[in-house]
Amino acid sequence: MKWENRRESKNITDNRGKSTAGKTAIGGGIIGIIAMLLIMFGGETGQQIAPVLDQINQKVNVEQVQSRTLSDEENQMGQMVAVIFADTEDVWHSIFDQTGKIYQEPHMVLFDDQVQTKCGFATADVGPFYCPADQAIYMDLRFFDELHTRFGAEKGNFAVAYVIAHEVGHHVQNLLGTNQKVHQLQQSSSKVEANKLSVAQELQADFYAGVWAKHIQKYLEPQDIDIAMSAAAAVGDDAIQRKTTGSVNPDSFTHGTSAQRKEWFMKGYNTGDITQGNTFDIIK
């Protein structure tokens, strides 16, 4: 993706380099695995995120704050993220304007290790996520190293772009009232049906990410869509379960299979039409 020397979003708080000493590692334990399966790429409503974050909160020892100087590579990545986030602002302002709606820009917080949100306390182990309570996206950018080394996604800056666009997709759902409707339906549904609603919600965020990509084609490079497809495949529920447990349980899916995530991103990318993203039809 071509991002150099372009507008950067002002809606970013960069708290990287500020962390606590003695961070409790949970990624290898059962809570870390549950958190990763539930929150990978975020998007759950605040009510869904909070219980998991509360579990994690009980496992974290907060000690003195440490500061460090960001490397040149980290500073460059921060600039790239700011440009990608600015692109999402431009695209969604345009789409909302066409439908007579006003797009309210979300905020993004970059952090190391752990962060406090209105949805609860979170560590980096949960991966990037969107908190509707404060309309903010939270990301520890070191997640992308794990996405490549642990889950096999191709390296490339469009993997970062795909994740950001997916999380912004959840913000769009929040503005359109989709998050609230899904939560209400889940309250009166069985666990299996609630999971299906979650899958539909996540796939729609992938679709919105594809719509966004369609609108910034002039900045894309030939390999970018392949990189996005690799990232989507790496975080499908079936791929994660197979890698972490050796088996697959469709009733426990919350984000969709690798094939579904790729399909809905590509539908958004091929159509560029926000009205074509009714993923909820697939659960009827």
Side-chain angles (χ1 to χ4, degrees):
M1 181 179 179
K2 304 169 186 175
W3 63 269
E4 293 87 348
N5 303 314
R6 296 205 287 115
R7 183 179 81 84
E8 298 180 15
S9 174
K10 302 300 182 184
N11 293 313
I12 296 180
T13 299
D14 193 345
N15 289 330
R16 293 176 300 162
K18 304 171 185 177
S19 62
T20 58
K23 168 179 172 273
T24 300
I26 66 170
I30 186 63
I31 291 180
I33 292 174
I34 292 173
M36 187 169 294
L37 292 177
L38 288 179
I39 308 181
M40 180 68 69
F41 277 30
E44 286 69 24
T45 64
Q47 293 88 346
Q48 288 173 294
I49 291 175
V52 180
L53 300 191
D54 286 343
Q55 284 183 292
I56 295 171
N57 192 21
Q58 296 171 10
K59 298 292 182 179
V60 175
N61 298 317
V62 178
E63 300 178 10
Q64 75 271 19
V65 174
Q66 293 181 335
S67 297
R68 64 178 177 83
T69 301
L70 298 181
S71 67
D72 290 343
E73 183 179 357
E74 287 174 312
N75 283 324
Q76 185 180 58
M77 191 168 189
Q79 293 170 359
M80 181 185 72
V81 165
V83 170
I84 293 169
F85 206 42
D87 283 343
T88 68
E89 294 164 354
D90 294 342
V91 168
W92 286 108
H93 271 300
S94 176
I95 292 174
F96 271 54
D97 285 346
Q98 293 170 18
T99 59
K101 297 181 174 64
I102 297 175
Y103 181 66
Q104 300 171 22
E105 296 175 356
H107 197 74
M108 179 183 286
V109 178
L110 305 179
F111 69 96
D112 287 344
D113 301 330
Q114 53 195 34
V115 66
Q116 182 67 48
T117 82
K118 288 186 179 179
C119 293
F121 184 82
T123 74
D125 301 272
V126 303
F129 65 94
Y130 171 71
C131 172
D134 49 20
Q135 296 193 10
I137 295 163
Y138 293 88
M139 301 180 69
D140 184 328
L141 295 180
R142 295 171 298 184
F143 161 81
F144 294 99
D145 291 331
E146 185 170 22
L147 185 62
H148 170 65
T149 59
R150 184 174 182 183
F151 294 98
E154 290 184 32
K155 297 189 75 171
N157 58 26
F158 207 72
V160 181
Y162 163 62
V163 174
I164 292 173
H166 175 98
E167 298 305 336
V168 171
H170 287 305
H171 177 65
V172 171
Q173 291 173 323
N174 193 40
L175 296 180
L176 296 178
T178 307
N179 286 348
Q180 296 88 331
K181 291 178 182 177
V182 168
H183 178 65
Q184 290 172 359
L185 289 171
Q186 287 175 324
Q187 294 295 95
S188 58
S189 300
S190 67
K191 179 63 176 176
V192 171
E193 292 303 312
N195 285 345
K196 290 181 179 179
L197 287 164
S198 178
V199 167
Q201 188 176 7
E202 295 297 329
L203 294 179
Q204 189 178 68
D206 281 331
F207 171 82
Y208 288 156
V211 169
W212 168 78
K214 176 73 170 184
H215 285 78
I216 62 156
Q217 284 188 89
K218 64 182 178 180
Y219 300 123
L220 299 187
E221 296 178 299
Q223 71 275 19
D224 284 342
I225 298 303
D226 288 340
I227 290 173
M229 290 296 91
S230 176
V235 293
D237 282 321
D238 52 340
I240 291 176
Q241 288 188 3
R242 194 174 290 112
K243 186 174 288 290
T244 57
T245 69
S247 60
V248 174
N249 178 12
D251 285 344
S252 68
F253 289 175
T254 57
H255 287 64
T257 65
S258 297
Q260 287 175 317
R261 301 198 72 164
K262 291 165 62 178
E263 175 189 355
W264 280 99
F265 176 90
M266 287 308 301
K267 184 173 182 179
Y269 180 70
N270 288 329
T271 66
D273 182 359
I274 189 175
T275 67
Q276 300 298 310
N278 185 8
T279 55
F280 294 89
D281 276 348
I282 66 176
I283 66 174
K284 293 180 180 179

